[in-house]
């Protein structure tokens, strides 16, 4: 691949990378918001409370993201009630279908990360909070969740990287994110190896930046914890 061809198609790759970042950024943030109550419910000792989130997590962790994506994008359109609802303008848009599916998918994994982090909070810290007169809700808000954040952050960072790679599946529903854009350019230039290699290098660059960012965040949280003591 000559430099002229690379320079010509670089704006298209940047456009695809930007769409990839949108998909990943929105889904992992929205997934985290959804996963917090799910993870807390999953860590409950009461079967009635943890049963529903368990079923949700079991489904989304037990089925492939590609299947879930097809169910949302192609499957929802089969129902007349969906086509007549206020949500139809979003559910017929591949962008929002990808966002919704990726959010629901990653929320299941993040919820399990939160559950494991909560259960790994040292019991002594929880007992100390209760001894100081904190209610269960206060202990959860001020002691358990902040501690669980530090415990679960490395696993959450791994999930973000996994979602970055999984975002390539959005190309199967016509979205021109990074992989979809590489496929489109390769079809026009017949330089399949070169274009997909370029896309792979951009994925590597994004992953490297994300990993460095999470390392800085982990370091900051450790320093903040030490200063708090």
């Amino acid at each position: 691949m000559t430099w002229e061809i690379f320079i010509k198609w670089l704006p298209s790759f940047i456009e695809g990378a930007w769409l990839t970042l949108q998909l990943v950024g929105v889904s992992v943030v929205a997934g985290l918001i959804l996963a917090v109550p799910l993870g807390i419910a999953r860590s409950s000792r009461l079967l009635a409370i943890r049963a529903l989130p368990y079923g949700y997590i079991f489904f989304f962790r037990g089925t492939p993201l590609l299947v879930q994506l097809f169910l949302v994008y192609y499957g929802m359109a089969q129902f007349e009630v969906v086509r007549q609802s206020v949500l139809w303008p979003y559910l017929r848009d591949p962008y929002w279908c990808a966002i919704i599916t990726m959010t629901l998918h990653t929320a299941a994994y993040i919820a399990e990360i939160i559950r494991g982090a909560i259960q790994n909070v040292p019991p002594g810290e929880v007992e100390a909070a209760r001894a100081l007169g904190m209610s269960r809700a206060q202990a959860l808000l001020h002691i358990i969740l902040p501690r669980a954040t530090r415990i679960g952050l490395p696993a959450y960072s791994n999930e973000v990287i996994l979602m970055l790679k999984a975002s390539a599946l959005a190309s199967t529903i016509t979205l021109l994110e990074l992989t979809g854009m590489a496929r489109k350019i390769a079809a026009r230039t017949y330089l399949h190896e070169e274009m997909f290699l370029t896309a792979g290098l951009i994925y590597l660059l994004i992953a490297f930046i994300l990993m460095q960012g999470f390392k800085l965040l982990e370091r900051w949280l450790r320093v903040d914890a030490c200063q708090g003591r």
Side-chain angles (χ1 to χ4, degrees):
M1 179 174 63
T2 64
W3 285 108
E4 290 78 9
I5 296 177
F6 176 78
I7 293 172
K8 175 184 177 181
W9 293 105
L10 182 59
S12 297
F13 276 112
I14 294 175
E15 180 183 345
W18 173 239
L19 180 55
T20 293
L21 289 174
Q22 289 182 51
L23 294 174
V24 176
V26 174
S27 63
V28 297
V29 172
L32 176 61
I33 295 172
L34 178 61
V36 170
L38 290 172
I40 294 173
R42 274 285 288 129
S43 63
S44 174
R45 297 179 180 178
L46 300 177
L47 178 61
I49 295 178
R50 67 173 187 266
L52 184 60
Y54 174 81
Y56 171 90
I57 292 169
F58 179 78
F59 173 80
F60 280 98
R61 292 182 70 197
T63 55
L65 176 58
L66 182 61
V67 172
Q68 297 164 15
L69 195 59
F70 285 170
L71 284 174
V72 173
Y73 184 63
Y74 296 110
M76 298 299 289
Q78 306 302 314
F79 300 97
E80 183 68 23
V81 65
V82 174
R83 294 197 299 272
Q84 294 180 352
S85 70
V86 296
L87 297 177
W88 179 236
Y90 300 97
L91 292 176
R92 69 182 180 183
D93 187 332
Y95 175 82
W96 287 109
C97 286
I99 289 288
I100 292 169
T101 307
M102 291 172 63
T103 296
L104 295 175
H105 180 85
T106 193
Y109 284 88
I110 298 173
E112 280 297 282
I113 292 172
I114 293 174
R115 178 195 63 81
I118 289 175
Q119 293 180 345
N120 279 286
V121 172
E125 296 184 12
V126 181
E127 293 172 1
R130 299 304 300 275
L132 290 173
M134 289 187 180
S135 64
R136 289 183 180 273
Q138 289 175 325
L140 179 67
L141 182 62
H142 298 290
I143 303 297
I144 298 175
L145 286 181
R147 190 75 166 90
T149 299
R150 298 185 180 94
I151 295 173
L153 184 59
Y156 177 71
S157 65
N158 289 338
E159 175 60 19
V160 172
I161 300 300
L162 289 174
M163 287 308 297
L164 170 65
K165 294 186 290 185
S167 67
L169 295 174
S171 64
T172 61
I173 56 171
T174 73
L175 279 180
L176 293 179
E177 43 68 68
L178 190 51
T179 299
M181 188 63 74
R183 182 183 298 171
K184 174 184 175 181
I185 298 171
R188 292 186 177 184
T189 62
Y190 300 101
L191 298 173
H192 293 81
E193 182 177 351
E194 292 85 348
M195 294 306 173
F196 283 111
L197 178 60
T198 301
L201 292 175
I202 296 175
Y203 277 116
L204 281 174
L205 178 61
I206 296 173
F208 176 78
I209 294 173
L210 288 174
M211 287 187 290
Q212 295 305 309
F214 276 111
K215 284 182 180 179
L216 290 175
L217 181 58
E218 289 178 36
R219 190 179 307 165
W220 179 80
L221 286 175
R222 285 198 298 268
V223 172
D224 183 63
C226 292
Q227 290 177 346
R229 295 177 184 175

